[in-house]
Amino acid sequence: MDLDLRLVRYAVVLADELHFARAAARLLIAQQTLSSQISRLESRLGVTLFLRDRRHVELTREGELFVRRGRELLADASDLLGELRRSAPPLRLDVITEGLTSGVIARELRPRLADVTLEVVQGQGFAGTVSALVEGVVDLAFGRINGTGEPLPRSLRYQLVRLEPMGVVLPAGHELAHRARVPMAELAAYPLLLHTAQEAAEWLDWNQELAAAFGLRVGWRLRGHGRGAANAAVLAYRAPSFGPLEAPLPDGVVVRPVVDPVPLYPFSVIWRAGSKSIPLRHALTTIYDIATERGWPAPPREDWWLPVADRHGPLSASVPSGVPRTAAQDGGTRPRR
């Protein structure tokens, strides 16, 4: 007969407690379920493992033998799984840079995928990470799939993770810093600081599309890596710049929501088609769960804006079997150009 390790674990825990209610609580199952499963195990083995009545649970001689060897089986199984995990290659994630949605996802993934080794890198932009993803240097990447200067390679698949509202990052003493929410029209009076990494063509494109759509002036165009460098530039030039609302900020810098409309940045998770990696599939399912728990894929109820390329066509693409699929996000809302 095949021995079910789950039933072995039930017997070992019951032997530890010699009490069905306490054992069931440890196993996170109902007491009735534990009792029926122990009876099933005894029936399959053809021996009695436990003597029990309403007040007493006791191991038989056969039960003592089964539990002693059962502990060894469970320890061997645990060691085997540990060796397999240590020998498996890590799951490599590119989170672009610090302070972004992708970093939040990476932090959430670690406790939820405790059996998977995660290796996090920062490629500074999705446009610069595409080749690494195609070549298998990284397994998962995050970013905006449009605006990179090239079509998304046919070997890649993507799933929308978040329509993220972007705010305006300001020096603390700036006139607009005193506003709780900054209307888009008011930004036209102030030249913007556009800070992008060479590898982040999609972020540069998003900023330029937004400026063109609302007649905003770009006063400074700087190259640099990371939110830290972008925030330092805001302080140095005393100029507003677009950035995430939730990223950590240094002293002297504030971020305010932009409204009328809310500018949205579409973050997707991207991976290679045809991957057979079970950890990858688990990661994609978990990323979907994280996004939906937080309501990230849904646009706000108020007026919002996306670049034209991001509003036309479905914002969620095909996903591997077993991974949920989100609906297109451009219906039932009021987008503005």
Side-chain angles (χ1 to χ4, degrees):
M1 60 169 288
D2 293 329
L3 194 57
D4 187 337
L5 289 181
R6 177 178 56 90
L7 298 181
V8 174
R9 183 173 294 105
Y10 287 179
V12 167
V13 172
L14 181 58
D16 288 341
E17 300 292 341
L18 293 179
H19 191 281
F20 274 90
R22 290 196 299 268
R26 275 183 56 185
L27 292 164
L28 303 177
I29 61 175
Q31 181 177 339
Q32 183 179 0
T33 300
L34 176 60
S35 179
S36 65
Q37 292 298 304
I38 292 296
S39 296
R40 176 188 172 200
L41 176 61
E42 291 175 326
S43 176
R44 294 182 66 183
L45 293 173
V47 298
T48 299
L49 302 177
F50 295 92
L51 299 174
R52 60 266 205 190
D53 56 33
R54 292 184 177 180
R55 299 183 179 180
H56 184 71
V57 178
E58 179 182 347
L59 275 167
T60 65
R61 184 176 62 181
E62 291 83 1
E64 291 176 352
L65 171 63
F66 183 86
V67 168
R68 183 176 71 252
R69 296 300 299 274
R71 292 187 196 279
E72 296 172 1
L73 282 174
L74 293 174
D76 286 344
S78 179
D79 290 344
L80 172 60
L81 293 175
E83 290 178 20
L84 288 173
R85 286 195 295 270
R86 288 189 292 272
S87 66
L91 191 66
R92 292 152 295 182
L93 286 76
D94 190 312
V95 298
I96 306 174
T97 187
E98 78 281 0
L100 300 184
T101 290
S102 48
V104 175
I105 291 171
R107 289 195 301 272
E108 289 270 345
L109 280 177
R110 289 191 186 280
R112 298 195 192 202
L113 297 178
D115 293 340
V116 178
T117 301
L118 296 179
E119 184 178 298
V120 176
V121 297
Q122 294 184 0
Q124 303 302 329
F126 178 61
T129 304
V130 171
S131 60
L133 191 58
V134 170
E135 294 165 10
V137 177
V138 296
D139 301 299
L140 288 170
F142 296 89
R144 177 180 172 230
I145 62 166
N146 294 307
T148 62
E150 299 289 341
L152 189 72
R154 295 176 63 86
S155 61
L156 300 183
R157 298 291 181 270
Y158 71 96
Q159 171 75 18
L160 179 71
V161 170
R162 187 178 190 183
L163 291 174
E164 181 172 6
M166 287 288 142
V168 59
V169 183
L170 301 156
H174 195 278
E175 293 177 21
L176 295 177
H178 302 293
R179 302 290 300 270
R181 290 155 44 109
V182 177
M184 185 74 75
E186 292 192 19
L187 286 172
Y190 303 92
L192 296 171
L193 169 67
L194 207 167
H195 186 281
T196 59
Q198 185 70 38
E199 302 90 339
E202 70 283 0
W203 174 242
L204 173 62
D205 177 82
W206 184 88
N207 277 272
Q208 292 180 153
E209 288 266 354
L210 181 60
F214 296 98
L216 309 180
R217 292 178 294 136
V218 178
W220 299 270
R221 297 174 182 269
L222 303 179
R223 294 292 189 183
H225 288 159
R227 294 307 311 163
N231 292 330
V234 167
L235 278 175
Y237 289 86
R238 313 298 297 174
S241 182
F242 289 106
L245 286 167
E246 300 165 6
L249 296 171
D251 291 341
V253 176
V254 298
V255 62
R256 297 289 181 261
V258 177
V259 294
D260 299 326
V262 177
L264 300 179
Y265 194 87
F267 264 107
S268 292
V269 59
I270 307 100
W271 68 95
R272 290 185 306 283
S275 173
K276 305 298 183 182
S277 168
I278 293 176
L280 175 64
R281 291 172 179 268
H282 287 172
L284 289 170
T285 301
T286 306
I287 290 168
Y288 174 87
D289 291 341
I290 292 168
T292 53
E293 286 166 12
R294 294 171 178 251
W296 279 350
R301 294 184 180 276
E302 54 194 311
D303 287 352
W304 53 265
W305 174 88
L306 278 171
V308 173
D310 298 310
R311 278 191 273 121
H312 288 87
L315 285 178
S316 63
S318 59
V319 296
S321 59
V323 178
R325 183 188 182 100
T326 60
Q329 299 294 331
D330 53 357
T333 57
R334 295 180 294 166
R336 286 174 53 179
R337 293 181 178 272

